[in-house]
PDB file of all heavy atoms in Angstrom:
ATOM      1  N   ASP A   9       0.848  -1.194   0.000  1.00  0.00           N
ATOM      2  CA  ASP A   9       0.000   0.000   0.000  1.00  0.00           C
ATOM      3  C   ASP A   9       0.879   1.237   0.000  1.00  0.00           C
ATOM      4  O   ASP A   9       1.855   1.325   0.756  1.00  0.00           O
ATOM      5  CB  ASP A   9      -0.897  -0.008   1.242  1.00  0.00           C
ATOM      6  CG  ASP A   9      -1.983   1.060   1.175  1.00  0.00           C
ATOM      7  OD1 ASP A   9      -1.637   2.241   0.997  1.00  0.00           O
ATOM      8  OD2 ASP A   9      -3.165   0.702   1.313  1.00  0.00           O
ATOM      9  N   LYS A  10       0.516   2.215  -0.842  1.00  0.00           N
ATOM     10  CA  LYS A  10       1.303   3.455  -0.946  1.00  0.00           C
ATOM     11  C   LYS A  10       1.422   4.145   0.411  1.00  0.00           C
ATOM     12  O   LYS A  10       2.443   4.778   0.717  1.00  0.00           O
ATOM     13  CB  LYS A  10       0.647   4.388  -1.958  1.00  0.00           C
ATOM     14  CG  LYS A  10       1.496   5.586  -2.339  1.00  0.00           C
ATOM     15  CD  LYS A  10       0.826   6.458  -3.397  1.00  0.00           C
ATOM     16  CE  LYS A  10       0.829   5.789  -4.743  1.00  0.00           C
ATOM     17  NZ  LYS A  10       0.367   6.726  -5.818  1.00  0.00           N
ATOM     18  N   ASN A  11       0.404   4.018   1.256  1.00  0.00           N
ATOM     19  CA  ASN A  11       0.427   4.651   2.576  1.00  0.00           C
ATOM     20  C   ASN A  11       1.415   3.982   3.535  1.00  0.00           C
ATOM     21  O   ASN A  11       1.763   4.534   4.582  1.00  0.00           O
ATOM     22  CB  ASN A  11      -0.970   4.635   3.205  1.00  0.00           C
ATOM     23  CG  ASN A  11      -1.952   5.491   2.430  1.00  0.00           C
ATOM     24  OD1 ASN A  11      -1.582   6.546   1.919  1.00  0.00           O
ATOM     25  ND2 ASN A  11      -3.188   5.031   2.321  1.00  0.00           N
ATOM     26  N   ALA A  12       1.863   2.760   3.165  1.00  0.00           N
ATOM     27  CA  ALA A  12       2.823   2.044   4.018  1.00  0.00           C
ATOM     28  C   ALA A  12       4.270   2.355   3.642  1.00  0.00           C
ATOM     29  O   ALA A  12       5.194   1.839   4.267  1.00  0.00           O
ATOM     30  CB  ALA A  12       2.581   0.548   3.930  1.00  0.00           C
ATOM     31  N   VAL A  13       4.477   3.199   2.637  1.00  0.00           N
ATOM     32  CA  VAL A  13       5.826   3.574   2.205  1.00  0.00           C
ATOM     33  C   VAL A  13       6.269   4.806   2.978  1.00  0.00           C
ATOM     34  O   VAL A  13       5.695   5.889   2.821  1.00  0.00           O
ATOM     35  CB  VAL A  13       5.880   3.844   0.691  1.00  0.00           C
ATOM     36  CG1 VAL A  13       7.312   4.203   0.269  1.00  0.00           C
ATOM     37  CG2 VAL A  13       5.380   2.638  -0.092  1.00  0.00           C
ATOM     38  N   ALA A  14       7.254   4.638   3.832  1.00  0.00           N
ATOM     39  CA  ALA A  14       7.748   5.745   4.664  1.00  0.00           C
ATOM     40  C   ALA A  14       8.630   6.678   3.837  1.00  0.00           C
ATOM     41  O   ALA A  14       9.262   6.267   2.861  1.00  0.00           O
ATOM     42  CB  ALA A  14       8.543   5.200   5.845  1.00  0.00           C
ATOM     43  N   SER A  15       8.679   7.930   4.249  1.00  0.00           N
ATOM     44  CA  SER A  15       9.475   8.929   3.530  1.00  0.00           C
ATOM     45  C   SER A  15      10.812   9.201   4.204  1.00  0.00           C
ATOM     46  O   SER A  15      11.656   9.893   3.645  1.00  0.00           O
ATOM     47  CB  SER A  15       8.689  10.239   3.419  1.00  0.00           C
ATOM     48  OG  SER A  15       8.343  10.727   4.715  1.00  0.00           O
ATOM     49  N   SER A  16      10.997   8.677   5.425  1.00  0.00           N
ATOM     50  CA  SER A  16      12.255   8.918   6.143  1.00  0.00           C
ATOM     51  C   SER A  16      12.483   7.820   7.163  1.00  0.00           C
ATOM     52  O   SER A  16      11.546   7.123   7.575  1.00  0.00           O
ATOM     53  CB  SER A  16      12.223  10.267   6.856  1.00  0.00           C
ATOM     54  OG  SER A  16      11.284  10.233   7.927  1.00  0.00           O
ATOM     55  N   ILE A  17      13.743   7.692   7.609  1.00  0.00           N
ATOM     56  CA  ILE A  17      14.059   6.710   8.639  1.00  0.00           C
ATOM     57  C   ILE A  17      13.399   7.089   9.956  1.00  0.00           C
ATOM     58  O   ILE A  17      13.013   6.222  10.744  1.00  0.00           O
ATOM     59  CB  ILE A  17      15.594   6.554   8.808  1.00  0.00           C
ATOM     60  CG1 ILE A  17      15.917   5.414   9.775  1.00  0.00           C
ATOM     61  CG2 ILE A  17      16.219   7.857   9.268  1.00  0.00           C
ATOM     62  CD1 ILE A  17      15.455   4.051   9.343  1.00  0.00           C
ATOM     63  N   GLU A  18      13.233   8.396  10.191  1.00  0.00           N
ATOM     64  CA  GLU A  18      12.568   8.841  11.422  1.00  0.00           C
ATOM     65  C   GLU A  18      11.131   8.346  11.485  1.00  0.00           C
ATOM     66  O   GLU A  18      10.640   7.945  12.549  1.00  0.00           O
ATOM     67  CB  GLU A  18      12.605  10.373  11.511  1.00  0.00           C
ATOM     68  CG  GLU A  18      13.958  10.957  11.841  1.00  0.00           C
ATOM     69  CD  GLU A  18      14.938  10.939  10.677  1.00  0.00           C
ATOM     70  OE1 GLU A  18      14.465  10.802   9.512  1.00  0.00           O
ATOM     71  OE2 GLU A  18      16.159  11.048  10.920  1.00  0.00           O
ATOM     72  N   GLU A  19      10.493   8.322  10.335  1.00  0.00           N
ATOM     73  CA  GLU A  19       9.110   7.828  10.282  1.00  0.00           C
ATOM     74  C   GLU A  19       9.063   6.331  10.603  1.00  0.00           C
ATOM     75  O   GLU A  19       8.145   5.854  11.276  1.00  0.00           O
ATOM     76  CB  GLU A  19       8.533   8.087   8.887  1.00  0.00           C
ATOM     77  CG  GLU A  19       7.050   7.755   8.762  1.00  0.00           C
ATOM     78  CD  GLU A  19       6.503   8.059   7.375  1.00  0.00           C
ATOM     79  OE1 GLU A  19       7.134   8.843   6.634  1.00  0.00           O
ATOM     80  OE2 GLU A  19       5.446   7.488   7.033  1.00  0.00           O
ATOM     81  N   VAL A  20      10.071   5.612  10.159  1.00  0.00           N
ATOM     82  CA  VAL A  20      10.131   4.167  10.418  1.00  0.00           C
ATOM     83  C   VAL A  20      10.346   3.887  11.896  1.00  0.00           C
ATOM     84  O   VAL A  20       9.608   3.111  12.525  1.00  0.00           O
ATOM     85  CB  VAL A  20      11.261   3.510   9.587  1.00  0.00           C
ATOM     86  CG1 VAL A  20      11.459   2.048  10.013  1.00  0.00           C
ATOM     87  CG2 VAL A  20      10.957   3.593   8.106  1.00  0.00           C
ATOM     88  N   VAL A  21      11.373   4.519  12.487  1.00  0.00           N
ATOM     89  CA  VAL A  21      11.751   4.171  13.862  1.00  0.00           C
ATOM     90  C   VAL A  21      10.771   4.735  14.894  1.00  0.00           C
ATOM     91  O   VAL A  21      10.749   4.268  16.041  1.00  0.00           O
ATOM     92  CB  VAL A  21      13.193   4.627  14.180  1.00  0.00           C
ATOM     93  CG1 VAL A  21      14.181   3.953  13.246  1.00  0.00           C
ATOM     94  CG2 VAL A  21      13.329   6.138  14.136  1.00  0.00           C
ATOM     95  N   SER A  22       9.972   5.709  14.507  1.00  0.00           N
ATOM     96  CA  SER A  22       8.981   6.253  15.448  1.00  0.00           C
ATOM     97  C   SER A  22       7.656   5.498  15.392  1.00  0.00           C
ATOM     98  O   SER A  22       6.748   5.756  16.183  1.00  0.00           O
ATOM     99  CB  SER A  22       8.727   7.743  15.155  1.00  0.00           C
ATOM    100  OG  SER A  22       8.157   7.908  13.858  1.00  0.00           O
ATOM    101  N   ASN A  23       7.561   4.533  14.480  1.00  0.00           N
ATOM    102  CA  ASN A  23       6.326   3.757  14.332  1.00  0.00           C
ATOM    103  C   ASN A  23       6.248   2.737  15.474  1.00  0.00           C
ATOM    104  O   ASN A  23       7.061   1.803  15.543  1.00  0.00           O
ATOM    105  CB  ASN A  23       6.332   3.046  12.977  1.00  0.00           C
ATOM    106  CG  ASN A  23       5.020   2.350  12.677  1.00  0.00           C
ATOM    107  OD1 ASN A  23       4.302   1.920  13.579  1.00  0.00           O
ATOM    108  ND2 ASN A  23       4.703   2.219  11.393  1.00  0.00           N
ATOM    109  N   PRO A  24       5.282   2.853  16.373  1.00  0.00           N
ATOM    110  CA  PRO A  24       5.202   1.946  17.522  1.00  0.00           C
ATOM    111  C   PRO A  24       4.863   0.508  17.145  1.00  0.00           C
ATOM    112  O   PRO A  24       5.066  -0.414  17.941  1.00  0.00           O
ATOM    113  CB  PRO A  24       4.081   2.557  18.372  1.00  0.00           C
ATOM    114  CG  PRO A  24       3.240   3.327  17.400  1.00  0.00           C
ATOM    115  CD  PRO A  24       4.185   3.847  16.362  1.00  0.00           C
ATOM    116  N   ASN A  25       4.375   0.296  15.921  1.00  0.00           N
ATOM    117  CA  ASN A  25       4.026  -1.056  15.482  1.00  0.00           C
ATOM    118  C   ASN A  25       5.216  -1.830  14.917  1.00  0.00           C
ATOM    119  O   ASN A  25       5.098  -3.019  14.640  1.00  0.00           O
ATOM    120  CB  ASN A  25       2.914  -0.995  14.427  1.00  0.00           C
ATOM    121  CG  ASN A  25       1.611  -0.460  14.990  1.00  0.00           C
ATOM    122  OD1 ASN A  25       1.266  -0.734  16.139  1.00  0.00           O
ATOM    123  ND2 ASN A  25       0.898   0.322  14.196  1.00  0.00           N
ATOM    124  N   VAL A  26       6.329  -1.139  14.747  1.00  0.00           N
ATOM    125  CA  VAL A  26       7.525  -1.782  14.190  1.00  0.00           C
ATOM    126  C   VAL A  26       8.400  -2.310  15.321  1.00  0.00           C
ATOM    127  O   VAL A  26       8.875  -1.561  16.167  1.00  0.00           O
ATOM    128  CB  VAL A  26       8.328  -0.793  13.316  1.00  0.00           C
ATOM    129  CG1 VAL A  26       9.686  -1.406  12.932  1.00  0.00           C
ATOM    130  CG2 VAL A  26       7.543  -0.422  12.063  1.00  0.00           C
ATOM    131  N   ASP A  27       8.608  -3.603  15.329  1.00  0.00           N
ATOM    132  CA  ASP A  27       9.479  -4.251  16.322  1.00  0.00           C
ATOM    133  C   ASP A  27      10.860  -4.554  15.752  1.00  0.00           C
ATOM    134  O   ASP A  27      11.862  -4.474  16.454  1.00  0.00           O
ATOM    135  CB  ASP A  27       8.851  -5.573  16.787  1.00  0.00           C
ATOM    136  CG  ASP A  27       7.451  -5.385  17.319  1.00  0.00           C
ATOM    137  OD1 ASP A  27       7.303  -4.704  18.343  1.00  0.00           O
ATOM    138  OD2 ASP A  27       6.497  -5.916  16.689  1.00  0.00           O
ATOM    139  N   ILE A  28      10.889  -4.925  14.467  1.00  0.00           N
ATOM    140  CA  ILE A  28      12.126  -5.373  13.829  1.00  0.00           C
ATOM    141  C   ILE A  28      12.335  -4.600  12.534  1.00  0.00           C
ATOM    142  O   ILE A  28      11.425  -4.502  11.703  1.00  0.00           O
ATOM    143  CB  ILE A  28      12.067  -6.880  13.536  1.00  0.00           C
ATOM    144  CG1 ILE A  28      11.928  -7.667  14.843  1.00  0.00           C
ATOM    145  CG2 ILE A  28      13.324  -7.333  12.768  1.00  0.00           C
ATOM    146  CD1 ILE A  28      11.669  -9.155  14.639  1.00  0.00           C
ATOM    147  N   VAL A  29      13.537  -4.043  12.379  1.00  0.00           N
ATOM    148  CA  VAL A  29      13.895  -3.308  11.172  1.00  0.00           C
ATOM    149  C   VAL A  29      14.862  -4.157  10.355  1.00  0.00           C
ATOM    150  O   VAL A  29      15.906  -4.573  10.856  1.00  0.00           O
ATOM    151  CB  VAL A  29      14.538  -1.947  11.513  1.00  0.00           C
ATOM    152  CG1 VAL A  29      15.036  -1.250  10.245  1.00  0.00           C
ATOM    153  CG2 VAL A  29      13.542  -1.058  12.254  1.00  0.00           C
ATOM    154  N   VAL A  30      14.499  -4.405   9.102  1.00  0.00           N
ATOM    155  CA  VAL A  30      15.339  -5.188   8.185  1.00  0.00           C
ATOM    156  C   VAL A  30      16.061  -4.226   7.255  1.00  0.00           C
ATOM    157  O   VAL A  30      15.423  -3.471   6.515  1.00  0.00           O
ATOM    158  CB  VAL A  30      14.477  -6.173   7.364  1.00  0.00           C
ATOM    159  CG1 VAL A  30      15.324  -6.840   6.279  1.00  0.00           C
ATOM    160  CG2 VAL A  30      13.840  -7.215   8.268  1.00  0.00           C
ATOM    161  N   GLU A  31      17.398  -4.250   7.283  1.00  0.00           N
ATOM    162  CA  GLU A  31      18.195  -3.370   6.418  1.00  0.00           C
ATOM    163  C   GLU A  31      18.794  -4.174   5.284  1.00  0.00           C
ATOM    164  O   GLU A  31      19.599  -5.076   5.507  1.00  0.00           O
ATOM    165  CB  GLU A  31      19.299  -2.690   7.238  1.00  0.00           C
ATOM    166  CG  GLU A  31      20.136  -1.703   6.437  1.00  0.00           C
ATOM    167  CD  GLU A  31      21.303  -2.354   5.690  1.00  0.00           C
ATOM    168  OE1 GLU A  31      22.086  -3.086   6.323  1.00  0.00           O
ATOM    169  OE2 GLU A  31      21.414  -2.108   4.467  1.00  0.00           O
ATOM    170  N   VAL A  32      18.406  -3.833   4.053  1.00  0.00           N
ATOM    171  CA  VAL A  32      18.930  -4.511   2.868  1.00  0.00           C
ATOM    172  C   VAL A  32      19.314  -3.482   1.805  1.00  0.00           C
ATOM    173  O   VAL A  32      19.192  -3.736   0.609  1.00  0.00           O
ATOM    174  CB  VAL A  32      17.898  -5.521   2.303  1.00  0.00           C
ATOM    175  CG1 VAL A  32      17.849  -6.775   3.133  1.00  0.00           C
ATOM    176  CG2 VAL A  32      16.501  -4.915   2.223  1.00  0.00           C
ATOM    177  N   ILE A  33      19.816  -2.341   2.259  1.00  0.00           N
ATOM    178  CA  ILE A  33      20.208  -1.273   1.338  1.00  0.00           C
ATOM    179  C   ILE A  33      21.569  -1.575   0.720  1.00  0.00           C
ATOM    180  O   ILE A  33      21.806  -1.369  -0.461  1.00  0.00           O
ATOM    181  CB  ILE A  33      20.260   0.085   2.076  1.00  0.00           C
ATOM    182  CG1 ILE A  33      18.882   0.434   2.635  1.00  0.00           C
ATOM    183  CG2 ILE A  33      20.756   1.193   1.151  1.00  0.00           C
ATOM    184  CD1 ILE A  33      18.894   1.612   3.591  1.00  0.00           C
ATOM    185  N   GLY A  34      22.498  -2.056   1.556  1.00  0.00           N
ATOM    186  CA  GLY A  34      23.858  -2.320   1.100  1.00  0.00           C
ATOM    187  C   GLY A  34      24.740  -1.098   1.234  1.00  0.00           C
ATOM    188  O   GLY A  34      24.259   0.025   1.387  1.00  0.00           O
ATOM    189  N   GLY A  35      26.058  -1.320   1.189  1.00  0.00           N
ATOM    190  CA  GLY A  35      27.002  -0.218   1.314  1.00  0.00           C
ATOM    191  C   GLY A  35      27.079   0.313   2.739  1.00  0.00           C
ATOM    192  O   GLY A  35      26.447  -0.219   3.655  1.00  0.00           O
ATOM    193  N   ILE A  36      27.858   1.365   2.921  1.00  0.00           N
ATOM    194  CA  ILE A  36      28.047   1.930   4.258  1.00  0.00           C
ATOM    195  C   ILE A  36      27.002   2.994   4.592  1.00  0.00           C
ATOM    196  O   ILE A  36      26.298   2.887   5.595  1.00  0.00           O
ATOM    197  CB  ILE A  36      29.470   2.516   4.404  1.00  0.00           C
ATOM    198  CG1 ILE A  36      30.522   1.432   4.166  1.00  0.00           C
ATOM    199  CG2 ILE A  36      29.651   3.128   5.795  1.00  0.00           C
ATOM    200  CD1 ILE A  36      30.479   0.286   5.141  1.00  0.00           C
ATOM    201  N   GLU A  37      26.900   4.009   3.777  1.00  0.00           N
ATOM    202  CA  GLU A  37      25.897   5.042   4.013  1.00  0.00           C
ATOM    203  C   GLU A  37      24.897   5.084   2.866  1.00  0.00           C
ATOM    204  O   GLU A  37      25.260   4.869   1.714  1.00  0.00           O
ATOM    205  CB  GLU A  37      26.571   6.420   4.168  1.00  0.00           C
ATOM    206  CG  GLU A  37      27.390   6.590   5.440  1.00  0.00           C
ATOM    207  CD  GLU A  37      26.538   6.586   6.719  1.00  0.00           C
ATOM    208  OE1 GLU A  37      25.287   6.581   6.628  1.00  0.00           O
ATOM    209  OE2 GLU A  37      27.126   6.564   7.803  1.00  0.00           O
ATOM    210  N   PRO A  38      23.607   5.311   3.173  1.00  0.00           N
ATOM    211  CA  PRO A  38      23.064   5.702   4.483  1.00  0.00           C
ATOM    212  C   PRO A  38      22.742   4.529   5.411  1.00  0.00           C
ATOM    213  O   PRO A  38      22.149   4.733   6.468  1.00  0.00           O
ATOM    214  CB  PRO A  38      21.775   6.431   4.101  1.00  0.00           C
ATOM    215  CG  PRO A  38      21.299   5.700   2.880  1.00  0.00           C
ATOM    216  CD  PRO A  38      22.555   5.334   2.118  1.00  0.00           C
ATOM    217  N   ALA A  39      23.123   3.305   5.022  1.00  0.00           N
ATOM    218  CA  ALA A  39      22.737   2.133   5.817  1.00  0.00           C
ATOM    219  C   ALA A  39      23.202   2.235   7.264  1.00  0.00           C
ATOM    220  O   ALA A  39      22.451   1.933   8.196  1.00  0.00           O
ATOM    221  CB  ALA A  39      23.308   0.870   5.176  1.00  0.00           C
ATOM    222  N   ARG A  40      24.456   2.664   7.470  1.00  0.00           N
ATOM    223  CA  ARG A  40      24.988   2.763   8.838  1.00  0.00           C
ATOM    224  C   ARG A  40      24.139   3.714   9.681  1.00  0.00           C
ATOM    225  O   ARG A  40      23.758   3.390  10.816  1.00  0.00           O
ATOM    226  CB  ARG A  40      26.438   3.240   8.795  1.00  0.00           C
ATOM    227  CG  ARG A  40      27.032   3.571  10.154  1.00  0.00           C
ATOM    228  CD  ARG A  40      28.474   4.051  10.018  1.00  0.00           C
ATOM    229  NE  ARG A  40      28.912   4.717  11.237  1.00  0.00           N
ATOM    230  CZ  ARG A  40      28.724   6.007  11.490  1.00  0.00           C
ATOM    231  NH1 ARG A  40      28.084   6.767  10.601  1.00  0.00           N
ATOM    232  NH2 ARG A  40      29.149   6.532  12.622  1.00  0.00           N
ATOM    233  N   THR A  41      23.851   4.878   9.157  1.00  0.00           N
ATOM    234  CA  THR A  41      23.045   5.861   9.897  1.00  0.00           C
ATOM    235  C   THR A  41      21.666   5.306  10.207  1.00  0.00           C
ATOM    236  O   THR A  41      21.158   5.443  11.333  1.00  0.00           O
ATOM    237  CB  THR A  41      22.916   7.157   9.073  1.00  0.00           C
ATOM    238  OG1 THR A  41      24.216   7.729   8.903  1.00  0.00           O
ATOM    239  CG2 THR A  41      22.012   8.163   9.767  1.00  0.00           C
ATOM    240  N   PHE A  42      21.050   4.658   9.235  1.00  0.00           N
ATOM    241  CA  PHE A  42      19.701   4.122   9.431  1.00  0.00           C
ATOM    242  C   PHE A  42      19.693   3.017  10.485  1.00  0.00           C
ATOM    243  O   PHE A  42      18.812   2.979  11.361  1.00  0.00           O
ATOM    244  CB  PHE A  42      19.157   3.569   8.111  1.00  0.00           C
ATOM    245  CG  PHE A  42      18.820   4.616   7.077  1.00  0.00           C
ATOM    246  CD1 PHE A  42      18.377   4.252   5.818  1.00  0.00           C
ATOM    247  CD2 PHE A  42      18.949   5.975   7.360  1.00  0.00           C
ATOM    248  CE1 PHE A  42      18.043   5.203   4.869  1.00  0.00           C
ATOM    249  CE2 PHE A  42      18.629   6.947   6.411  1.00  0.00           C
ATOM    250  CZ  PHE A  42      18.177   6.558   5.159  1.00  0.00           C
ATOM    251  N   VAL A  43      20.680   2.117  10.429  1.00  0.00           N
ATOM    252  CA  VAL A  43      20.739   1.018  11.399  1.00  0.00           C
ATOM    253  C   VAL A  43      20.974   1.552  12.807  1.00  0.00           C
ATOM    254  O   VAL A  43      20.331   1.104  13.768  1.00  0.00           O
ATOM    255  CB  VAL A  43      21.829   0.004  11.004  1.00  0.00           C
ATOM    256  CG1 VAL A  43      22.088  -0.978  12.138  1.00  0.00           C
ATOM    257  CG2 VAL A  43      21.417  -0.747   9.741  1.00  0.00           C
ATOM    258  N   LEU A  44      21.870   2.508  12.945  1.00  0.00           N
ATOM    259  CA  LEU A  44      22.131   3.090  14.264  1.00  0.00           C
ATOM    260  C   LEU A  44      20.891   3.784  14.824  1.00  0.00           C
ATOM    261  O   LEU A  44      20.590   3.677  16.023  1.00  0.00           O
ATOM    262  CB  LEU A  44      23.297   4.076  14.188  1.00  0.00           C
ATOM    263  CG  LEU A  44      24.693   3.447  14.064  1.00  0.00           C
ATOM    264  CD1 LEU A  44      25.733   4.522  13.801  1.00  0.00           C
ATOM    265  CD2 LEU A  44      25.047   2.668  15.336  1.00  0.00           C
ATOM    266  N   LYS A  45      20.159   4.477  13.974  1.00  0.00           N
ATOM    267  CA  LYS A  45      18.929   5.143  14.439  1.00  0.00           C
ATOM    268  C   LYS A  45      17.892   4.110  14.879  1.00  0.00           C
ATOM    269  O   LYS A  45      17.188   4.319  15.881  1.00  0.00           O
ATOM    270  CB  LYS A  45      18.363   6.037  13.336  1.00  0.00           C
ATOM    271  CG  LYS A  45      19.134   7.340  13.160  1.00  0.00           C
ATOM    272  CD  LYS A  45      18.452   8.291  12.190  1.00  0.00           C
ATOM    273  CE  LYS A  45      19.216   9.616  12.146  1.00  0.00           C
ATOM    274  NZ  LYS A  45      18.585  10.603  11.248  1.00  0.00           N
ATOM    275  N   ALA A  46      17.806   3.008  14.148  1.00  0.00           N
ATOM    276  CA  ALA A  46      16.863   1.952  14.529  1.00  0.00           C
ATOM    277  C   ALA A  46      17.252   1.351  15.875  1.00  0.00           C
ATOM    278  O   ALA A  46      16.412   1.173  16.767  1.00  0.00           O
ATOM    279  CB  ALA A  46      16.814   0.884  13.447  1.00  0.00           C
TER     280      ALA A  46
END
């Protein structure tokens, strides 16, 4: 669903329904920043 597509990592990590974050971006950045924020 288009409404389930987040526009930022902040939107993802602030979602109370999210327990587990799967990172499959690859490379160092922005993956490192996103994983640390999660």
